[in-house]
Amino acid sequence: MTYDCKENEKNKKQKIYAKALAGFFVLMLLFTTLSRAADSVAVAKVYAKKAERGRLSHETLCEGWMEPREKLHISSEEGFIILEIKAEQGQSVTAGEPLIILDASDIEEQLSAAETELRLLELKKQSLSLNTYDSSGDRSVEKAEAELKRAQEDLELNKEINGGIKLEKDKRAVEDALLNLQAAIGEKEKAQAADKAAREKNEIDKESAELEIQLKNKEISSLRELAAVGSAIYAEISGTIDEIYVKSGEKTSGGNLISIIPGNSKYYFKAVTDKEDAKYIKQGDSVEVTLEGQKAPIKDVEVKWVKLSTSDKNTVEIAVEMPENNELYNGMAASVKHVKITEEYSKVVPLSAVRSSGTGNYVLGIKNVNTLLGEENAAYRINIEVLDNDGSKAAVSGLSNEDVIVNSNKPIEESDRVRVKTK
């Protein structure tokens, strides 16, 4: 009995030890699983790739509007009261159609005044042609020369009479006559200079009067034409009324009244944008233009010019010459897209791979490191220089053939453990 009891007790202990050992291994398995799960959560998952040869694509989008290449401005003389404006902005007109009606009495008054002014100008021109000039300087010199000659002759005659002796009074007479001649020559030169200036001024005045006469004749001709057509201003070409610069009841100021866009006018796309944003756009480049309300762009149109804005040196004006298109109109909204493909670079990486710090740009590579749990992957820094980027890719220098991290499921820094995944 005692032996059997001991055997039973021994068997019970063995079963307890076996269960404890089994429990230990279960716990070990559980902790290992939990550890691996925790490690899996803690270690960042990264996607890596090597730099590749490639080109960058710089895309520029600009919003703008349409402008006609040409406009015809219609003007008139000043001082007419505008009775009626028969056109509206955006209206289509044909050549010969009346646009503005003026007060006929104003035209008659101006015509009469202009004809009077013309007559006065013609009289002024005739008066200038009758001008004469003083030639008394020539006579003064001739008289002084004659007096000098007589004084010299008297000197020689008295010298013969007096046995070859020159009398003092004769010498003084010659000297005085010579001084008088020099003075007369000086006065003549001054008179000639004044005469020349007066003649030149007279010629200028005559030319000026002739030009004034021509302009006045032109004004009279315009006034007579205006009176002949019933005091109305007509469209000189067919097209679209662009701008009206006056209102009914106002007086004309001698400037533009109306502008017309010719019916066959071509258009420019115009845009003003930041100079830095447009740095890849050059004259002669091909672009595509999308009109307001349309999806399909107009392709392969040429950039006519890119120039600094006159109002702001940090912006540029872009003009694109549009092909013929009956849908275009002045002020129509549109956008232009320009794509610049660069030369091929030897090392191009996704822009998401590029990082910056106070010491410059860098990417993170991947290397094997030994840890307590064995070999693992860790991030390390590779310094680079960014040569160019297009918003999605970057051309860089400083890389060889390393795998670089382009994306991760959580923030990482150099030396952090990582787990590499394949996209």
Side-chain angles (χ1 to χ4, degrees):
M1 284 296 292
T2 303
Y3 176 77
D4 290 337
C5 288
K6 289 182 177 180
E7 280 296 321
N8 289 334
E9 187 176 344
K10 181 179 179 182
N11 289 336
K12 287 179 180 179
K13 288 182 178 180
Q14 287 178 346
K15 288 179 181 181
I16 291 172
Y17 294 152
K19 288 181 180 180
L21 183 60
F24 173 76
F25 283 113
V26 169
L27 287 173
M28 286 292 293
L29 179 61
L30 177 61
F31 289 146
T32 301
T33 302
L34 291 174
S35 175
R36 291 184 180 277
D39 188 62
S40 176
V41 173
V43 176
K45 295 177 183 178
V46 300
Y47 302 94
K49 64 181 297 184
K50 298 181 187 299
E52 301 173 340
R53 296 186 67 86
R55 302 175 186 272
L56 302 184
S57 176
H58 293 286
E59 183 177 297
T60 305
L61 292 172
C62 296
E63 300 293 329
W65 64 93
M66 292 296 163
E67 277 189 13
R69 288 178 57 179
E70 55 185 325
K71 293 181 185 180
L72 173 68
H73 289 88
I74 297 176
S75 59
S76 76
E77 303 297 333
E78 64 178 329
F80 302 138
I81 294 177
I82 298 171
L83 295 181
E84 182 183 1
I85 298 174
K86 301 180 72 67
E88 295 181 357
Q89 190 173 18
Q91 176 184 334
S92 294
V93 296
T94 57
E97 184 174 339
L99 303 178
I100 292 178
I101 306 300
L102 302 176
D103 189 337
S105 61
D106 288 339
I107 297 171
E108 292 172 359
E109 289 177 8
Q110 287 210 24
L111 179 57
S112 176
E115 289 172 339
T116 301
E117 290 169 3
L118 176 62
R119 181 57 182 156
L120 291 173
L121 289 170
E122 290 172 340
L123 291 173
K124 176 182 176 182
K125 183 181 177 182
Q126 291 176 10
S127 175
L128 290 169
S129 299
L130 296 176
N131 282 346
T132 58
Y133 302 94
D134 183 18
S135 58
S136 59
D138 294 336
R139 293 191 295 273
S140 296
V141 171
E142 291 173 359
K143 181 179 178 181
E145 287 175 342
E147 290 176 352
L148 176 61
K149 183 178 180 182
R150 282 196 301 271
Q152 289 173 336
E153 289 174 349
D154 290 344
L155 175 67
E156 293 300 324
L157 179 61
N158 290 331
K159 179 181 174 183
E160 290 179 6
I161 294 173
N162 293 291
I165 298 173
K166 295 181 179 180
L167 299 178
E168 288 297 323
K169 66 173 184 176
D170 292 335
K171 289 193 287 184
R172 285 196 298 272
V174 170
E175 290 174 355
D176 290 343
L178 182 60
L179 290 173
N180 289 336
L181 175 60
Q182 292 172 343
I185 291 173
E187 290 299 320
K188 178 183 177 181
E189 289 175 348
K190 289 180 182 178
Q192 286 177 333
D195 178 74
K196 181 181 179 182
R199 289 176 186 273
E200 289 176 349
K201 182 179 183 303
N202 191 67
E203 289 301 315
I204 291 172
D205 289 342
K206 285 196 290 185
E207 289 181 13
S208 176
E210 179 59 33
L211 289 174
E212 288 178 349
I213 288 171
Q214 291 176 11
L215 290 173
K216 191 57 65 176
N217 275 320
K218 184 178 179 181
E219 179 185 343
I220 290 171
S221 177
S222 297
L223 290 169
R224 286 174 178 168
E225 289 177 6
L226 197 54
V229 296
S231 307
I233 295 176
Y234 295 85
E236 298 176 18
I237 60 171
S238 297
T240 304
I241 299 297
D242 176 47
E243 290 187 78
I244 300 174
Y245 305 104
V246 291
K247 297 178 180 178
S248 296
E250 292 182 344
K251 272 195 173 184
T252 59
S253 61
N256 294 326
L257 304 176
I258 288 180
S259 61
I260 299 178
I261 301 171
N264 59 352
S265 176
K266 291 187 177 180
Y267 282 79
Y268 284 120
F269 167 86
K270 293 281 190 71
V272 176
T273 188
D274 187 81
K275 181 170 65 175
E276 181 65 21
D277 293 341
K279 64 182 178 181
Y280 295 105
I281 304 178
K282 300 291 184 293
Q283 180 180 346
D285 285 355
S286 179
V287 296
E288 60 181 46
V289 178
T290 302
L291 304 177
E292 181 182 28
Q294 298 188 10
K295 293 182 179 180
I298 302 170
K299 297 185 177 181
D300 299 324
V301 285
E302 182 181 332
V303 175
K304 196 65 177 178
W305 72 73
V306 179
K307 60 185 179 183
L308 284 174
S309 301
T310 55
S311 58
D312 185 355
K313 298 302 180 183
N314 293 317
T315 61
V316 293
E317 179 185 290
I318 301 168
V320 177
E321 189 170 12
M322 299 297 295
E324 288 188 15
N325 187 325
N326 293 332
E327 296 180 353
L328 301 180
Y329 58 87
N330 188 28
M332 182 181 192
S335 62
V336 68
K337 182 170 83 170
H338 175 272
V339 179
K340 170 69 173 178
I341 305 299
T342 68
E343 63 183 10
E344 188 174 65
Y345 291 100
S346 61
K347 300 293 181 183
V348 175
V349 298
L351 190 60
S352 59
V354 179
R355 299 161 177 257
S356 297
S357 69
T359 57
N361 295 316
Y362 67 97
V363 295
L364 292 177
I366 301 171
K367 63 181 180 180
N368 290 327
V369 294
N370 291 317
T371 69
L372 293 175
L373 300 177
E375 284 193 353
E376 292 188 319
N377 292 321
Y380 73 100
R381 176 176 176 139
I382 306 171
N383 292 321
I384 60 166
E385 178 185 358
V386 177
L387 306 176
D388 194 7
N389 85 81
D390 62 6
S392 62
K393 296 176 293 183
V396 301
S397 63
L399 288 178
S400 297
N401 198 37
E402 307 92 333
D403 284 330
V404 297
I405 296 172
V406 299
N407 204 355
S408 64
N409 67 338
K410 60 175 61 180
I412 56 171
E413 299 293 341
E414 57 180 315
S415 301
D416 286 352
R417 291 184 300 140
V418 297
R419 182 169 298 172
V420 181
K421 296 290 183 180
T422 303
K423 283 189 175 180

